[in-house]
Amino acid sequence: MPKTISEQNLLRLIDTLVNEGKRVIGPKAAGTMTLYEPLATGEELNLGELPRRSAKETFFPLCETILTYERDREGVRVTDVDPGAIPETVLVAARPCDVAAAPVLDSVFSWDYQDEFYLSRRGKTTIIGLACARADDACFCTAVGLSTNDTKGSDLFLTTLTGGGYRCDVITDKGMALLAAHGGLFAEGDGTPAPLAEPALGKLDLEKIKQWLDNHFEDPLWEEIAERCAGCGACAFLCPACHCFDINDEGGEKKGARRKSWDACGFGKFTNHASGHNPRDVQPQRYRNRIMHKFKYYVDKFDQRLCTGCGRCIRACPVGIDIAEILSAIGTRDQGPGTGKD
Protein backbone atom coordinates (compact mmCIF):
# COMPACT_ATOMS: atom_id res chain seq x y z
CA MET A 1 0.00 0.00 0.00
CA PRO A 2 1.34 3.49 -0.79
CA LYS A 3 2.64 5.68 1.99
CA THR A 4 2.35 9.44 2.32
CA ILE A 5 4.82 12.03 3.53
CA SER A 6 4.04 15.61 4.48
CA GLU A 7 5.96 18.52 3.02
CA GLN A 8 7.47 19.18 6.44
CA ASN A 9 8.56 15.58 6.86
CA LEU A 10 10.13 15.54 3.40
CA LEU A 11 12.36 18.39 4.55
CA ARG A 12 13.06 16.52 7.78
CA LEU A 13 14.01 13.46 5.75
CA ILE A 14 16.61 15.54 3.90
CA ASP A 15 17.96 16.88 7.20
CA THR A 16 18.17 13.35 8.59
CA LEU A 17 19.99 12.01 5.54
CA VAL A 18 22.50 14.88 5.66
CA ASN A 19 23.11 14.25 9.37
CA GLU A 20 23.74 10.59 8.56
CA GLY A 21 26.64 11.71 6.36
CA LYS A 22 24.96 11.08 3.04
CA ARG A 23 25.34 13.39 0.07
CA VAL A 24 21.86 14.69 -0.72
CA ILE A 25 21.27 16.22 -4.15
CA GLY A 26 18.11 18.07 -5.07
CA PRO A 27 16.70 21.14 -6.83
CA LYS A 28 18.21 24.22 -5.22
CA ALA A 29 18.04 27.94 -5.99
CA ALA A 30 21.32 29.17 -7.45
CA GLY A 31 21.05 32.86 -8.26
CA THR A 32 18.34 33.24 -10.90
CA MET A 33 18.36 29.52 -11.72
CA THR A 34 17.41 26.24 -10.09
CA LEU A 35 20.06 23.53 -10.24
CA TYR A 36 20.51 20.01 -8.92
CA GLU A 37 23.00 20.76 -6.15
CA PRO A 38 24.09 19.31 -2.78
CA LEU A 39 21.61 20.25 -0.07
CA ALA A 40 22.83 21.23 3.40
CA THR A 41 19.30 21.32 4.85
CA GLY A 42 15.79 20.49 3.72
CA GLU A 43 14.96 24.19 3.63
CA GLU A 44 17.17 24.54 0.55
CA LEU A 45 14.89 22.28 -1.53
CA ASN A 46 13.29 24.34 -4.31
CA LEU A 47 10.50 22.69 -6.26
CA GLY A 48 9.37 25.73 -8.21
CA GLU A 49 10.78 24.83 -11.62
CA LEU A 50 12.66 22.23 -13.62
CA PRO A 51 16.38 22.61 -12.83
CA ARG A 52 18.35 24.30 -15.60
CA ARG A 53 20.82 21.42 -15.90
CA SER A 54 19.94 17.75 -15.73
CA ALA A 55 20.53 15.34 -12.86
CA LYS A 56 23.08 13.27 -14.79
CA GLU A 57 25.87 15.12 -12.98
CA THR A 58 24.96 13.02 -9.93
CA PHE A 59 26.48 9.97 -11.67
CA PHE A 60 28.50 11.52 -14.50
CA PRO A 61 30.30 14.69 -13.33
CA LEU A 62 31.27 17.43 -15.73
CA CYS A 63 34.90 16.70 -14.94
CA GLU A 64 36.46 14.05 -12.73
CA THR A 65 40.00 12.94 -11.93
CA ILE A 66 40.67 9.27 -12.59
CA LEU A 67 44.37 9.17 -11.65
CA THR A 68 47.23 11.44 -10.57
CA TYR A 69 50.96 11.21 -11.16
CA GLU A 70 53.98 12.71 -9.46
CA ARG A 71 57.65 12.49 -10.35
CA ASP A 72 60.55 12.86 -7.93
CA ARG A 73 64.02 11.41 -7.44
CA GLU A 74 62.55 8.00 -6.66
CA GLY A 75 60.71 7.83 -9.98
CA VAL A 76 57.12 8.33 -11.11
CA ARG A 77 54.22 7.44 -8.81
CA VAL A 78 50.81 6.90 -10.38
CA THR A 79 47.87 6.91 -7.99
CA ASP A 80 44.45 5.68 -9.04
CA VAL A 81 41.40 7.44 -7.65
CA ASP A 82 39.41 5.00 -5.54
CA PRO A 83 35.76 4.76 -6.70
CA GLY A 84 35.00 3.22 -3.33
CA ALA A 85 35.44 6.65 -1.76
CA ILE A 86 32.36 7.94 -3.56
CA PRO A 87 29.77 8.77 -0.86
CA GLU A 88 26.32 7.29 -0.41
CA THR A 89 23.94 9.64 -2.20
CA VAL A 90 20.22 10.36 -2.28
CA LEU A 91 18.86 12.27 -5.27
CA VAL A 92 15.66 13.95 -4.10
CA ALA A 93 12.72 15.31 -6.10
CA ALA A 94 14.18 14.53 -9.51
CA ARG A 95 11.78 14.97 -12.40
CA PRO A 96 10.75 11.91 -14.47
CA CYS A 97 12.57 13.19 -17.56
CA ASP A 98 15.81 13.26 -15.57
CA VAL A 99 15.31 10.00 -13.71
CA ALA A 100 14.34 8.06 -16.86
CA ALA A 101 17.74 8.89 -18.35
CA ALA A 102 19.63 6.98 -15.64
CA PRO A 103 18.75 3.47 -16.94
CA VAL A 104 19.55 4.70 -20.45
CA LEU A 105 23.02 5.79 -19.36
CA ASP A 106 23.49 2.51 -17.48
CA SER A 107 23.48 0.63 -20.77
CA VAL A 108 26.36 2.50 -22.37
CA PHE A 109 28.52 2.69 -19.23
CA SER A 110 28.22 -1.05 -18.56
CA TRP A 111 28.25 -2.41 -22.11
CA ASP A 112 31.68 -3.39 -23.48
CA TYR A 113 33.50 -1.68 -20.62
CA GLN A 114 32.46 -1.36 -16.99
CA ASP A 115 32.96 2.31 -16.09
CA GLU A 116 33.69 1.88 -12.38
CA PHE A 117 33.33 5.60 -11.62
CA TYR A 118 29.87 5.89 -13.14
CA LEU A 119 28.71 2.52 -11.82
CA SER A 120 29.96 3.24 -8.31
CA ARG A 121 27.97 6.46 -8.21
CA ARG A 122 24.87 4.77 -9.58
CA GLY A 123 25.17 1.88 -7.15
CA LYS A 124 25.50 4.22 -4.20
CA THR A 125 22.60 6.48 -5.21
CA THR A 126 18.96 6.14 -4.21
CA ILE A 127 16.61 8.18 -6.40
CA ILE A 128 13.42 9.79 -5.16
CA GLY A 129 11.47 10.88 -8.22
CA LEU A 130 8.75 13.53 -8.28
CA ALA A 131 5.80 13.76 -10.68
CA CYS A 132 5.55 17.00 -12.67
CA ALA A 133 2.75 19.41 -11.82
CA ARG A 134 3.59 21.86 -14.59
CA ALA A 135 5.05 21.87 -18.08
CA ASP A 136 6.06 24.56 -20.54
CA ASP A 137 6.03 24.70 -24.34
CA ALA A 138 9.40 22.94 -24.56
CA CYS A 139 8.40 19.84 -22.57
CA PHE A 140 7.70 16.78 -24.72
CA CYS A 141 8.23 13.70 -22.52
CA THR A 142 4.90 12.21 -23.62
CA ALA A 143 5.99 12.48 -27.25
CA VAL A 144 8.87 10.07 -26.68
CA GLY A 145 6.90 7.47 -24.77
CA LEU A 146 7.30 8.70 -21.19
CA SER A 147 4.92 10.63 -18.95
CA THR A 148 4.93 13.31 -16.28
CA ASN A 149 4.48 10.61 -13.61
CA ASP A 150 6.77 7.97 -15.14
CA THR A 151 8.56 5.97 -12.45
CA LYS A 152 11.32 4.59 -14.73
CA GLY A 153 14.63 4.87 -12.90
CA SER A 154 13.16 5.88 -9.53
CA ASP A 155 13.57 3.95 -6.30
CA LEU A 156 10.85 5.90 -4.52
CA PHE A 157 8.34 8.07 -6.36
CA LEU A 158 6.46 11.07 -4.99
CA THR A 159 3.17 12.42 -6.33
CA THR A 160 1.81 15.72 -5.04
CA LEU A 161 -1.55 15.41 -3.27
CA THR A 162 -4.39 17.92 -3.48
CA GLY A 163 -4.47 18.31 0.29
CA GLY A 164 -0.73 18.85 0.57
CA GLY A 165 2.12 16.44 0.98
CA TYR A 166 2.98 13.55 -1.29
CA ARG A 167 2.02 9.98 -1.99
CA CYS A 168 5.11 7.79 -1.91
CA ASP A 169 5.30 4.65 -4.04
CA VAL A 170 8.09 2.13 -3.50
CA ILE A 171 9.59 1.09 -6.82
CA THR A 172 12.75 -0.86 -5.91
CA ASP A 173 14.47 -2.59 -3.02
CA LYS A 174 16.65 0.50 -2.60
CA GLY A 175 13.54 2.56 -2.12
CA MET A 176 12.11 0.08 0.34
CA ALA A 177 15.33 0.19 2.37
CA LEU A 178 15.30 3.99 2.56
CA LEU A 179 11.64 4.05 3.56
CA ALA A 180 12.13 1.33 6.18
CA ALA A 181 15.08 3.19 7.69
CA HIS A 182 13.01 6.37 8.09
CA GLY A 183 9.53 4.92 8.52
CA GLY A 184 8.60 7.37 11.25
CA LEU A 185 8.45 10.19 8.71
CA PHE A 186 5.90 8.39 6.54
CA ALA A 187 2.23 7.65 7.16
CA GLU A 188 -0.17 5.04 5.87
CA GLY A 189 -2.54 6.21 3.19
CA ASP A 190 -3.03 7.18 -0.40
CA GLY A 191 -4.71 10.52 -0.98
CA THR A 192 -5.95 12.30 -4.09
CA PRO A 193 -3.21 13.17 -6.59
CA ALA A 194 -3.02 16.76 -7.78
CA PRO A 195 -3.43 17.30 -11.54
CA LEU A 196 -0.37 16.36 -13.55
CA ALA A 197 1.33 18.51 -16.14
CA GLU A 198 0.24 18.00 -19.74
CA PRO A 199 2.92 18.70 -22.35
CA ALA A 200 1.49 20.33 -25.45
CA LEU A 201 3.06 17.89 -27.91
CA GLY A 202 1.28 14.54 -28.04
CA LYS A 203 2.83 11.20 -28.91
CA LEU A 204 5.10 10.99 -31.92
CA ASP A 205 5.13 7.99 -34.24
CA LEU A 206 8.57 6.90 -33.11
CA GLU A 207 8.57 3.76 -35.23
CA LYS A 208 7.87 5.77 -38.36
CA ILE A 209 10.62 8.22 -37.43
CA LYS A 210 13.03 5.33 -36.92
CA GLN A 211 12.10 3.85 -40.31
CA TRP A 212 12.80 7.16 -42.02
CA LEU A 213 16.17 7.47 -40.28
CA ASP A 214 17.03 3.90 -41.32
CA ASN A 215 16.76 4.94 -44.96
CA HIS A 216 17.81 8.60 -45.06
CA PHE A 217 21.39 8.85 -43.92
CA GLU A 218 21.81 11.15 -46.89
CA ASP A 219 19.02 13.72 -47.11
CA PRO A 220 18.70 17.49 -47.70
CA LEU A 221 17.05 17.82 -44.27
CA TRP A 222 20.41 17.62 -42.50
CA GLU A 223 21.76 20.65 -44.36
CA GLU A 224 18.53 22.57 -43.77
CA ILE A 225 18.81 22.08 -40.00
CA ALA A 226 22.56 22.63 -39.78
CA GLU A 227 22.37 25.99 -41.56
CA ARG A 228 21.31 27.35 -38.15
CA CYS A 229 23.31 25.10 -35.82
CA ALA A 230 26.19 26.95 -34.13
CA GLY A 231 27.83 23.77 -32.84
CA CYS A 232 27.95 25.26 -29.34
CA GLY A 233 27.19 21.99 -27.53
CA ALA A 234 24.61 23.50 -25.15
CA CYS A 235 22.07 20.86 -26.15
CA ALA A 236 24.43 17.99 -25.29
CA PHE A 237 25.66 19.48 -22.03
CA LEU A 238 22.10 20.07 -20.76
CA CYS A 239 20.67 16.77 -22.01
CA PRO A 240 20.03 14.11 -19.32
CA ALA A 241 21.06 11.32 -21.68
CA CYS A 242 24.01 12.65 -23.71
CA HIS A 243 27.19 11.02 -22.48
CA CYS A 244 30.13 11.89 -24.77
CA PHE A 245 33.39 12.48 -22.93
CA ASP A 246 37.09 13.02 -23.53
CA ILE A 247 40.11 11.99 -21.45
CA ASN A 248 43.11 14.31 -21.13
CA ASP A 249 46.32 14.43 -19.13
CA GLU A 250 46.74 17.80 -17.43
CA GLY A 251 49.82 19.06 -15.65
CA GLY A 252 53.52 19.21 -16.22
CA GLU A 253 56.66 17.11 -16.09
CA LYS A 254 56.65 16.73 -12.31
CA LYS A 255 52.99 16.18 -11.49
CA GLY A 256 49.52 16.18 -12.99
CA ALA A 257 46.27 14.29 -13.39
CA ARG A 258 44.30 12.35 -15.93
CA ARG A 259 40.76 13.70 -16.14
CA LYS A 260 37.55 12.66 -17.83
CA SER A 261 35.48 15.63 -19.07
CA TRP A 262 32.24 16.05 -20.96
CA ASP A 263 32.43 16.42 -24.72
CA ALA A 264 29.82 16.77 -27.46
CA CYS A 265 29.43 15.25 -30.92
CA GLY A 266 28.37 18.69 -32.17
CA PHE A 267 31.84 20.10 -31.65
CA GLY A 268 33.92 20.46 -34.79
CA LYS A 269 36.92 18.52 -33.49
CA PHE A 270 35.01 15.77 -31.69
CA THR A 271 35.81 13.20 -34.39
CA ASN A 272 39.19 14.59 -35.39
CA HIS A 273 41.68 11.72 -35.91
CA ALA A 274 45.35 11.86 -34.96
CA SER A 275 46.07 11.72 -38.69
CA GLY A 276 44.21 15.00 -39.18
CA HIS A 277 41.27 13.34 -40.94
CA ASN A 278 37.82 14.26 -39.63
CA PRO A 279 34.98 11.97 -40.81
CA ARG A 280 32.37 14.50 -39.65
CA ASP A 281 34.03 17.72 -40.73
CA VAL A 282 30.91 19.79 -41.47
CA GLN A 283 27.95 20.66 -39.27
CA PRO A 284 25.24 18.79 -41.26
CA GLN A 285 27.08 15.54 -40.57
CA ARG A 286 27.37 16.38 -36.90
CA TYR A 287 23.72 17.31 -36.42
CA ARG A 288 22.69 14.21 -38.36
CA ASN A 289 24.70 12.16 -35.90
CA ARG A 290 22.89 13.79 -32.97
CA ILE A 291 19.47 12.77 -34.28
CA MET A 292 20.63 9.37 -35.54
CA HIS A 293 22.31 8.57 -32.23
CA LYS A 294 19.25 9.40 -30.18
CA PHE A 295 16.56 7.83 -32.35
CA LYS A 296 18.31 5.16 -34.44
CA TYR A 297 21.75 4.00 -33.28
CA TYR A 298 20.88 3.74 -29.58
CA VAL A 299 17.61 2.02 -30.43
CA ASP A 300 19.47 -0.48 -32.63
CA LYS A 301 22.06 -1.14 -29.93
CA PHE A 302 20.11 -1.02 -26.68
CA ASP A 303 16.42 -0.88 -27.64
CA GLN A 304 16.14 2.47 -25.85
CA ARG A 305 15.93 6.06 -27.06
CA LEU A 306 18.55 8.56 -26.05
CA CYS A 307 16.01 11.30 -25.35
CA THR A 308 13.54 11.79 -22.49
CA GLY A 309 11.75 14.89 -23.79
CA CYS A 310 12.94 17.27 -21.06
CA GLY A 311 13.09 20.17 -23.53
CA ARG A 312 16.31 21.66 -22.17
CA CYS A 313 17.96 21.66 -25.60
CA ILE A 314 15.02 23.63 -26.99
CA ARG A 315 15.09 26.23 -24.21
CA ALA A 316 18.85 26.74 -24.41
CA CYS A 317 19.49 26.68 -28.16
CA PRO A 318 20.79 30.14 -29.11
CA VAL A 319 19.47 29.82 -32.68
CA GLY A 320 16.06 28.33 -31.86
CA ILE A 321 16.48 24.75 -33.09
CA ASP A 322 13.59 22.66 -31.74
CA ILE A 323 14.26 18.91 -31.72
CA ALA A 324 10.57 18.16 -31.16
CA GLU A 325 9.69 20.10 -34.33
CA ILE A 326 12.38 18.20 -36.23
CA LEU A 327 11.00 14.86 -35.09
CA SER A 328 7.47 15.93 -35.96
CA ALA A 329 8.65 16.94 -39.44
CA ILE A 330 10.47 13.64 -39.95
CA GLY A 331 7.29 11.81 -38.96
CA THR A 332 5.44 13.41 -41.88
CA ARG A 333 8.12 12.90 -44.54
CA ASP A 334 7.95 10.43 -47.39
CA GLN A 335 9.64 7.16 -46.39
CA GLY A 336 11.54 6.83 -49.66
CA PRO A 337 13.62 6.98 -51.69
CA GLY A 338 16.79 7.65 -49.78
CA THR A 339 19.99 6.03 -48.68
CA GLY A 340 20.44 4.35 -45.37
CA LYS A 341 24.19 4.05 -45.76
CA ASP A 342 25.93 4.76 -42.46
Side-chain angles (χ1 to χ4, degrees):
M1 180 177 181
K3 300 277 189 176
T4 61
I5 185 169
S6 67
E7 294 179 17
Q8 185 177 27
N9 278 355
L10 178 60
L11 304 188
R12 286 177 178 168
L13 175 62
I14 293 171
D15 291 339
T16 302
L17 293 169
V18 171
N19 290 334
E20 291 173 352
K22 293 182 172 62
R23 182 179 67 144
V24 181
I25 305 292
K28 177 181 175 180
T32 59
M33 298 183 292
T34 298
L35 302 174
Y36 287 109
E37 297 249 315
L39 302 175
T41 70
E43 292 296 332
E44 291 183 336
L45 186 69
N46 179 17
L47 303 179
E49 60 182 19
L50 179 73
R52 177 69 177 274
R53 301 200 303 262
S54 78
K56 72 179 175 185
E57 295 176 57
T58 308
F59 326 112
F60 179 36
L62 178 61
C63 181
E64 64 180 326
T65 299
I66 57 180
L67 64 81
T68 60
Y69 66 88
E70 187 169 358
R71 181 178 182 176
D72 56 23
R73 293 179 180 178
E74 302 297 323
V76 178
R77 292 190 304 276
V78 176
T79 304
D80 290 325
V81 173
D82 179 14
I86 292 170
E88 293 286 338
T89 300
V90 180
L91 175 59
V92 180
R95 302 301 176 89
C97 55
D98 282 319
V99 179
V104 175
L105 293 176
D106 292 349
S107 296
V108 74
F109 284 114
S110 62
W111 166 50
D112 60 342
Y113 177 78
Q114 301 287 308
D115 187 313
E116 56 184 337
F117 295 96
Y118 173 87
L119 295 175
S120 292
R121 289 189 179 86
R122 274 287 280 138
K124 291 185 173 183
T125 300
T126 300
I127 301 177
I128 303 176
L130 174 66
C132 286
R134 61 180 64 86
D136 64 17
D137 291 342
C139 294
F140 65 103
C141 64
T142 51
V144 293
L146 297 172
S147 67
T148 52
N149 64 344
D150 204 302
T151 62
K152 179 182 178 182
S154 291
D155 298 302
L156 290 173
F157 193 78
L158 304 179
T159 304
T160 304
L161 300 175
T162 54
Y166 308 90
R167 187 179 75 188
C168 180
D169 291 287
V170 176
I171 310 300
T172 69
D173 291 342
K174 270 188 185 179
M176 178 61 76
L178 188 147
L179 189 149
H182 305 90
L185 296 174
F186 295 83
E188 297 287 344
D190 197 342
T192 303
L196 295 170
E198 295 184 9
L201 182 63
K203 287 188 176 182
L204 292 167
D205 190 337
L206 297 171
E207 291 302 320
K208 188 175 181 181
I209 291 169
K210 169 67 165 56
Q211 290 170 10
W212 188 89
L213 294 174
D214 285 340
N215 297 299
H216 289 82
F217 186 78
E218 300 289 350
D219 193 272
L221 174 65
W222 307 123
E223 291 191 9
E224 292 173 19
I225 300 168
E227 283 181 354
R228 287 189 290 158
C229 182
C232 67
C235 51
F237 276 39
L238 295 177
C239 174
C242 281
H243 52 266
C244 294
F245 63 88
D246 195 8
I247 295 178
N248 289 288
D249 291 336
E250 302 174 4
E253 178 185 354
K254 292 187 176 181
K255 64 179 180 178
R258 178 166 293 171
R259 294 194 173 96
K260 181 169 69 174
S261 305
W262 288 1
D263 207 339
C265 63
F267 291 157
K269 294 184 178 180
F270 179 76
T271 50
N272 213 32
H273 294 186
S275 67
H277 172 62
N278 189 342
R280 292 202 292 267
D281 60 349
V282 292
Q283 204 60 28
Q285 296 170 349
R286 295 191 279 271
Y287 201 87
R288 174 182 63 197
N289 185 71
R290 176 171 176 76
I291 300 296
M292 288 282 192
H293 191 191
K294 289 184 173 297
F295 296 96
K296 171 177 161 51
Y297 303 149
Y298 213 83
V299 179
D300 289 339
K301 186 70 181 178
F302 298 116
D303 197 27
Q304 298 185 89
R305 292 175 185 85
L306 200 63
C307 174
T308 61
C310 71
R312 288 185 177 90
C313 60
I314 300 171
R315 298 182 196 95
C317 182
V319 294
I321 294 176
D322 186 325
I323 192 172
E325 288 183 357
I326 291 169
L327 295 172
S328 296
I330 288 174
T332 64
R333 293 174 82 91
D334 188 355
Q335 288 293 320
T339 173
K341 182 180 179 182
D342 58 3

